[in-house]
Amino acid sequence: MNLTLKVWRQKAAGAPGQMMEYQARDIIPDMSFLEMLDVVNEGLIAKGGEPIAFDSDCREGICGTCSLVINGVAHGGQRGTTACQLHIRHFKDGQTITIEPWRARGFPVLRDLVTDRGAFDRIIQAGGFVSVNTGGTPDANSLPIAKVASDRSMDAAACIGCGACVAACKNASAMLFVAAKVSHLALLPQGRVERTERVLNMVTQMDAEGFGNCTVTGSCEAVCPKEISLDFIARLNREYGVALLKGAKLQKNTA
Ligand code: SF4
Ligand code: FES
């Protein structure tokens, strides 16, 4: 297949950027989108050009680093699919494809298609953990958990922290991500101990990072490669409201 690519090129953070056109020739339809970019980059390098910078790691939908907006849609618009799992066969021969980075104040562009998603790490550091005393491995049945709770927690835990929800949202809201992380822990007995401080600290950090508020457009859920449900945002709001009512003090980790 032959494709025309219009790719955002930007030399460094804060530098001006622009869309540049490239030809992707003789691409095998079963290649992944990132493999197609590898082929284009090999051609650029062979001609002495600068390869297109983009993030990837696992290339199997687990790590959440392949942050590309393809034809205006975060991860390219195939339901439940990361950019690294998107295949060229879903495009038409001769098609023009635009490729841009996530665009949100909380995710500044570092170079070409690479953004700094450290804001998500700082939100997790603010409360996305459980504090436990380490020791011997606990007995498997020492803490029974209702199946409905463990299943729901697993649904939330599927979030890979990719940031597509932010990229798709007109408010650049990170609520679906934070909702998934808060819910994943709050649904389990191990996470209930710190649930009040957790939700307050994570939401405070989310706001400090410059992410917007949720106005329930549903665009986050539509592009989420792990199909995290909007229901978790309702759960986050409930957790937050209860925490405020309890008057919990922020225990922000400033270390
Ligand atoms: S909620 Fe979905 S889109 Fe948002 S970071 Fe998690 S996996 Fe990515
Ligand atoms: S490269 Fe890891 S999810 Fe795409």
Side-chain angles (χ1 to χ4, degrees), residues 34 56-66 82 84 160:
L34 301 191
S56 75
D57 189 358
C58 70
R59 298 200 174 199
E60 53 184 347
I62 297 170
C63 73
T65 60
C66 51
T82 52
C84 61
I160 55 174

Side-chain angles (χ1 to χ4, degrees), residues 143-158 183-190 192 232 235:
L143 190 58
I145 300 171
K147 178 149 174 35
V148 65
S150 65
D151 283 355
R152 205 71 187 119
S153 176
M154 278 301 291
D155 289 346
S183 300
H184 152 215
L185 296 172
L187 279 157
L188 299 175
Q190 298 95 323
R192 284 202 196 116
F232 286 115
R235 177 177 288 279

Side-chain angles (χ1 to χ4, degrees), residues 120 158-166 176-177 180 220 223-226 228:
F120 271 15
C159 167
I160 55 174
C162 65
C165 44
V166 173
L176 194 63
F177 164 74
C220 53
V223 300
C224 175
K226 299 301 160 186
I228 303 293

Side-chain angles (χ1 to χ4, degrees), residues 63-96:
C63 73
T65 60
C66 51
S67 43
L68 301 179
V69 175
I70 300 164
N71 285 340
V73 183
H75 287 305
Q78 284 288 317
R79 184 107 195 140
T81 304
T82 52
C84 61
Q85 293 190 303
L86 180 64
H87 289 92
I88 296 302
R89 59 178 175 268
H90 295 298
F91 298 88
K92 292 194 180 75
D93 191 22
Q95 188 174 346
T96 297

Side-chain angles (χ1 to χ4, degrees), residues 157-232:
C159 167
I160 55 174
C162 65
C165 44
V166 173
C169 176
K170 66 174 183 170
N171 308 318
S173 170
M175 292 273 281
L176 194 63
F177 164 74
V178 176
K181 298 305 176 190
V182 163
S183 300
H184 152 215
L185 296 172
L187 279 157
L188 299 175
Q190 298 95 323
R192 284 202 196 116
V193 182
E194 296 158 300
R195 70 194 292 183
T196 306
E197 290 79 15
R198 175 183 305 113
V199 67
L200 290 174
N201 287 341
M202 291 181 79
V203 169
T204 299
Q205 190 65 37
M206 175 183 77
D207 291 342
E209 297 289 351
F211 296 111
N213 266 328
C214 173
T215 50
V216 203
T217 64
S219 51
C220 53
E221 185 187 68
V223 300
C224 175
K226 299 301 160 186
E227 303 186 69
I228 303 293
S229 167
L230 271 183
D231 295 352
F232 286 115

